[in-house]
């Protein structure tokens, strides 16, 4: 089995910063892309940022220039540094990883349990 455990999040004032991290553990042969998604109240889940094992990144337009995604391949961990936070960033943030459990398995997506980020004064 594969588990993704997120940490970080919480309450922050507009303009503030927060950091999220997500560690993958279990039977893991390799991980390709890792990323962060979010779901705001009453909205569908949307992509925030992704990063490949080689370090190529992709960001949603709404967070470009404010958020930074990074990863530690040796620790199967992905990070999200969020700066200049806005009330519209309030959402549950989910970690995602594209995991190959054994060399003969296809890659499959796994999700974390989600962590709440609230931006409010």
């Amino acid at each position: 089995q594969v588990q993704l455990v997120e940490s970080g999040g919480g309450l922050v004032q507009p303009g503030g910063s927060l950091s999220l991290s997500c560690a993958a553990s279990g039977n893991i042969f390799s991980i390709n892309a890792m990323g962060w998604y979010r779901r705001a109240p009453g909205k569908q889940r949307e992509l925030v940022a992704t990063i490949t094992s080689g370090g190529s990144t992709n960001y949603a337009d709404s967070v470009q220039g404010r958020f930074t995604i990074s990863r530690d391949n040796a620790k199967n961990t992905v990070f999200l540094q969020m700066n200049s936070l806005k009330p519209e960033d309030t959402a549950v943030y989910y970690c995602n990883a594209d995991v190959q459990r054994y060399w003969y398995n296809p890659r499959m997506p796994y999700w974390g349990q989600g962590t709440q980020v609230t931006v409010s004064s």
Side-chain angles (χ1 to χ4, degrees):
Q1 190 57 281
V2 175
Q3 288 186 320
L4 272 61
V5 179
E6 297 142 344
S7 60
L11 173 64
V12 65
Q13 292 186 342
S17 299
L18 279 176
S19 296
L20 305 180
S21 63
C22 171
S25 63
N27 295 317
I28 297 173
F29 176 73
S30 68
I31 300 178
N32 186 18
M34 301 184 81
W36 293 93
Y37 293 72
R38 66 187 182 188
R39 177 177 286 155
K43 296 185 177 181
Q44 291 187 333
R45 186 169 60 193
E46 63 175 1
L47 179 147
V48 176
T50 61
I51 183 168
T52 68
S53 57
S56 296
T57 58
N58 179 53
Y59 295 93
D61 290 342
S62 59
V63 307
Q64 182 76 47
R66 300 187 297 121
F67 291 10
T68 301
I69 189 170
S70 60
R71 67 190 279 177
D72 184 334
N73 290 332
K75 296 182 179 180
N76 291 332
T77 301
V78 63
F79 307 93
L80 186 68
Q81 176 64 41
M82 303 182 291
N83 298 327
S84 302
L85 283 159
K86 305 175 181 180
E88 51 264 42
D89 294 318
T90 295
V92 178
Y93 284 69
Y94 297 91
C95 171
N96 169 268
D98 198 23
V99 178
Q100 186 178 13
R101 294 184 60 191
Y102 299 97
W103 64 269
Y104 50 83
N105 285 147
R107 295 191 185 96
M108 293 183 61
Y110 289 85
W111 293 90
Q113 78 284 0
T115 185
Q116 178 70 46
V117 172
T118 302
V119 184
S120 175
S121 54

